[in-house]
Amino acid sequence: MNQIGISKDYSAKMNEKLNAYLSNVQLSYMNVRGYHWNIVGKQFFQLHEKFEELYDSLNEMADEIAERILMLGGTPVHAFSKYIKMATIKEKENISTAEGTVKETLNELLELLKNEREIIELASENGDEGTIDLMTGYISEQEKLVWMLNANLK
């Protein structure tokens, strides 16, 4: 057992998943910062503000995920070169239209939701309520944001 009473074998598996997820969060953070900086057009003010809110949230998530990895006895990935290798979300550049930035943000959120649901499934099988609780909060926030961004595209 590790320091919080969870199996070390399970913790190693979960830390692998959490580091891959952390990598996706970090790539999404950088992408959303770029959308915030480069957005142009009639929806500039609304999206500029929304992207700032989102990258602040992603930054906070990264910290919480890294802390969970540490609680489970692992080491959070902290090199951008490793994030790029581990992430399924890819770097985005030169996207500045409302439609383009919103679509890319939606794709990234859907990837994060996929990761979160996989993490919850593994955590549920192993009685890891701390990780389940962390992911559940993220899912609730992101599902609402997906709904709102989809409404923006109509």
Side-chain angles (χ1 to χ4, degrees):
M1 296 295 205
N2 68 13
Q3 64 185 351
I4 60 171
I6 294 180
S7 150
K8 286 185 180 182
D9 288 340
Y10 160 74
S11 292
K13 287 178 198 168
M14 180 53 77
N15 283 332
E16 217 174 281
K17 280 201 169 291
L18 287 172
N19 267 313
Y21 174 62
L22 176 60
S23 298
N24 275 337
V25 168
Q26 292 288 61
L27 264 289
S28 185
Y29 169 85
M30 288 305 299
N31 289 340
V32 173
R33 287 289 303 225
Y35 307 151
H36 168 78
W37 290 331
N38 295 303
I39 187 73
V40 295
K42 293 178 182 177
Q43 292 181 319
F44 170 83
F45 287 105
Q46 300 96 321
L47 289 174
H48 184 75
E49 187 175 321
K50 182 51 85 176
F51 291 140
E52 182 173 2
E53 183 182 305
L54 181 53
Y55 73 66
D56 284 343
S57 174
L58 289 163
N59 188 47
E60 186 175 319
M61 287 171 61
D63 191 55
E64 293 168 348
I65 297 159
E67 288 174 354
R68 187 65 189 164
I69 292 167
L70 290 164
M71 283 182 241
L72 291 169
T75 302
V77 172
H78 54 279
F80 214 78
S81 59
K82 288 188 180 179
Y83 294 147
I84 291 170
K85 288 178 186 171
M86 295 177 77
T88 52
I89 292 174
K90 301 303 176 199
E91 293 176 300
K92 308 291 182 338
E93 286 187 290
N94 304 319
I95 301 170
S96 60
T97 65
E99 184 174 356
T101 57
V102 169
K103 283 182 177 180
E104 290 298 334
T105 301
L106 278 167
N107 289 336
E108 292 170 22
L109 288 169
L110 292 172
E111 185 64 23
L112 293 177
L113 282 165
K114 178 182 160 198
N115 294 165
E116 293 154 359
R117 290 178 177 128
E118 290 170 359
I119 289 167
I120 283 180
E121 185 176 336
L122 179 60
S124 295
E125 293 167 0
N126 289 277
D128 181 2
E129 289 82 7
T131 301
I132 293 167
D133 183 57
L134 186 64
M135 293 299 120
T136 301
Y138 297 156
I139 288 171
S140 295
E141 289 176 26
Q142 291 165 5
E143 285 178 341
K144 184 174 182 179
L145 187 53
V146 165
W147 164 67
M148 293 171 130
L149 290 173
N150 272 308
N152 178 274
L153 290 174
K154 293 181 180 186

